Amino acid sequence: MTQKATVISPSILAADAMRLGEEVRSVLDGGAEYIHVDVMDGVFVPNLSFGVPVVRNMRRMFPDAFLDVHLMITKPGRYIGTFSAAGASLITVHVEAEEPEFVGETIAEIRSHGLKAGLAIRPKTPLDELEPWLPDLSMVLVMTVEPGFGAQPFMTDQLPRIREVRAQLDRVNPGCDIEVDGGITDQTAPLVREAGANVLVAGSFIYGKPDRARAIAALRGKI
């Protein structure tokens, strides 16, 4: 199994929205490599969250930050150019959010803007729906909760799926990252790292702590 360095991507869904700039600065100063931006449309998932203006303003405030934009929206191919222009570094779309014939087009559209392309999968979606696209991706996002809300408990039954995705990627695209999102704490982080994930999205565990650097270090297993 490919071993890759751990990357921490704090989700702003758990940040104090009234102090978002300060919150993002605190995790970047604390050692986070990415900033995870959950975009929800209230249709694909039963919640509404951030959109293009937040990405644009974050890019303006943090010109060097890696903005890990996770689109939990229907037909995301319509908005790739908009989020690219706003300043996304990587755009992840859900395999379930497009008709199968359009998934490849959406991935190609992301890459055509010079961005890294990610493909996400919900816990109950068969992994074979990812397989055709694995060679074209920079990241696969394995959801370890049902997408839509923060602070949900980690689903341990996703660990074998992470291992399977890592084994598939090692055959066809070994440089591709695996990201996990949902219920990531200092207790679950070692489990997903052992299974083959290397990009960890955490919201409540980081933003719920006064010392963000210590929380981030704990996710890396440094404490």
Side-chain angles (χ1 to χ4, degrees), residues 47-79:
N47 197 8
L48 291 167
S49 67
F50 311 101
V52 171
V54 168
V55 175
R56 184 183 300 117
N57 288 330
M58 288 180 63
R59 175 56 67 212
R60 177 178 55 81
M61 293 182 68
F62 305 103
D64 299 322
F66 189 99
L67 301 184
D68 172 18
V69 177
H70 178 193
L71 299 185
M72 288 173 273
I73 64 177
T74 56
K75 301 187 183 304
R78 298 174 294 171
Y79 301 102

Side-chain angles (χ1 to χ4, degrees), residues 30-51:
E33 291 88 357
Y34 293 1
I35 298 297
H36 193 80
V37 184
D38 291 301
V39 178
M40 306 179 191
D41 64 358
V43 179
F44 180 71
V45 293
N47 197 8
L48 291 167
S49 67
F50 311 101

Side-chain angles (χ1 to χ4, degrees), residues 39 41 43-45 70-80 92-104 106 118-122 125 129-130 133 147:
V39 178
D41 64 358
V43 179
F44 180 71
V45 293
H70 178 193
L71 299 185
M72 288 173 273
I73 64 177
T74 56
K75 301 187 183 304
R78 298 174 294 171
Y79 301 102
I80 301 305
T92 297
V93 299
H94 272 262
V95 68
E96 309 92 350
E98 292 276 16
E99 295 299 323
E101 61 266 29
F102 297 125
V103 173
T106 300
L119 194 59
I121 190 163
R122 300 173 96 150
T125 302
E129 294 193 21
L130 286 176
W133 323 114

